[in-house]
Amino acid sequence: MNFIVLTIFPELFDPFWEYGIISRAIKRNKINVSAVNIRDFAAGKHRVTDDRPYGGGCGMVMKAEPLASAIRAAKITNSSAKTVLLTPQGRTFKQNLAREFASHKGLILVCGRYEGVDERICEEFIDYEISIGDYILTGGELAAMVIIEAVTRMVPGTLGGVDSAGKDTFSDNLLEHAHYTRPRSLEGEDVPEVLLSGNHKAIEKWRFETSLIRTFLKRRDLLKDRPLSRQEIEILKKWCRDIEKIIHTQSLFGFDALSGSQ
Ligand code: 4FL
């Protein structure tokens, strides 16, 4: 996977390439990376990359020509790469898109600054307009880093040990199960007994159940467009029965009955 970032602040990426899975992936030749200064493609003594908007108004617009030249140069290095513009107006970046991006040979990530990018660049040069969430940054650089990190994790051989990306949260539109490590008891809170049992089948079952229930409680939106398996339906039904049992017991012996207010 080849990442080329087009930015007016290439130095921002220097520390980013140096740490963690990114640096390891570079060393193992799983990815190669470069941050290219758009200013190098700007004309004139002052190499300006922005200009005032036609029609007036405040803020500046990124000029089309330097961006067009920078994108063309990046395409010469990697002709089959897809171009991605980071913009709050784009499609929201999700795990499935990280997987799709990882299947491309290369990505040219275009970081906008100022108020936006000349519209003709979006129309002529960009394959994907991507947002990392509904908020405004000062530029696309942090968004580009988010995408590079999420995509790199999806490139085979970039994660340590067994391929743990398959078990991640979102890998099946489910949140991951809870994790515990030592100590066994922390301020009166104990690690769930089953995890200490050594019974791998029971542990797997517990993890699957808690992963489904957590998703239901914390991110029900993830379950909306996802068909439930028979096993998952059984888990949710069992959970329903447990809740009904509690309600039933409460209505027989609950607050009202005990306090005698009825
Ligand atoms: C890019 C925000 C991607 C969210 C300002 C310039 C942005 C952004 N996702 N804000 N680019």
Side-chain angles (χ1 to χ4, degrees), residues 86-88 112-114 130-140 143:
L86 290 318
T87 161
R113 280 257 155 184
Y114 320 115
I130 300 296
S131 159
I132 59 163
D134 290 339
Y135 36 77
I136 304 298
L137 304 167
T138 51

Side-chain angles (χ1 to χ4, degrees), residues 82-99:
K82 299 287 178 190
T83 50
V84 178
L85 175 69
L86 290 318
T87 161
Q89 297 189 6
R91 165 180 168 194
T92 311
F93 188 64
K94 299 268 172 69
Q95 192 63 38
N96 57 359
L97 202 51
R99 226 169 280 130

Side-chain angles (χ1 to χ4, degrees), residues 59-231:
M60 299 292 265
V61 176
M62 275 187 108
K63 285 170 73 64
E65 303 101 308
L67 270 175
S69 307
I71 294 170
R72 282 202 184 96
K75 282 262 183 189
I76 289 169
T77 316
N78 192 338
S79 59
S80 57
K82 299 287 178 190
T83 50
V84 178
L85 175 69
L86 290 318
T87 161
Q89 297 189 6
R91 165 180 168 194
T92 311
F93 188 64
K94 299 268 172 69
Q95 192 63 38
N96 57 359
L97 202 51
R99 226 169 280 130
E100 178 182 328
F101 282 179
S103 71
H104 296 316
K105 278 224 173 76
L107 292 179
I108 298 166
L109 297 143
V110 182
C111 304
R113 280 257 155 184
Y114 320 115
E115 303 305 301
V117 166
D118 190 301
E119 190 63 25
R120 291 161 294 186
I121 288 294
C122 312
E123 290 162 3
E124 301 299 320
F125 291 89
I126 298 298
D127 298 313
Y128 297 88
E129 290 186 34
I130 300 296
S131 159
I132 59 163
D134 290 339
Y135 36 77
I136 304 298
L137 304 167
T138 51
E141 283 77 7
L142 285 172
M145 291 183 202
V146 166
I147 287 174
I148 292 167
E149 187 159 314
V151 172
T152 298
R153 294 180 75 265
M154 290 296 110
V155 174
T158 56
L159 295 177
V162 282
D163 186 17
S164 45
K167 286 192 178 169
D168 282 344
T169 288
F170 302 130
S171 69
D172 191 22
N173 256 14
L174 288 181
L175 303 182
E176 231 188 322
H177 59 78
H179 300 275
Y180 294 89
T181 186
R182 289 181 292 183
R184 197 163 156 170
S185 186
L186 181 80
E187 298 181 8
E189 293 288 338
D190 292 343
V191 173
E193 203 60 42
V194 61
L195 298 179
L196 312 169
S197 68
N199 182 341
H200 295 294
K201 242 184 147 165
I203 292 171
E204 270 316 297
K205 184 163 173 276
W206 179 87
R207 286 186 168 162
F208 185 65
E209 285 191 19
T210 53
S211 144
L212 180 65
I213 299 301
R214 286 174 158 239
T215 312
F216 187 78
L217 290 174
K218 296 190 189 192
R219 289 292 307 275
R220 208 166 303 172
D221 58 300
L222 293 176
L223 293 174
K224 238 174 132 194
D225 304 314
R226 177 185 177 284
L228 291 167
S229 72
R230 200 169 301 160
Q231 191 192 10

Side-chain angles (χ1 to χ4, degrees), residues 33 36 83 90 95 118-119 157 182 206 235 239 250 258-259 261:
V33 301
V36 174
T83 50
Q95 192 63 38
D118 190 301
E119 190 63 25
R182 289 181 292 183
W206 179 87
I235 292 169
W239 209 54
Q250 287 288 322
L258 289 176
S259 66
S261 64

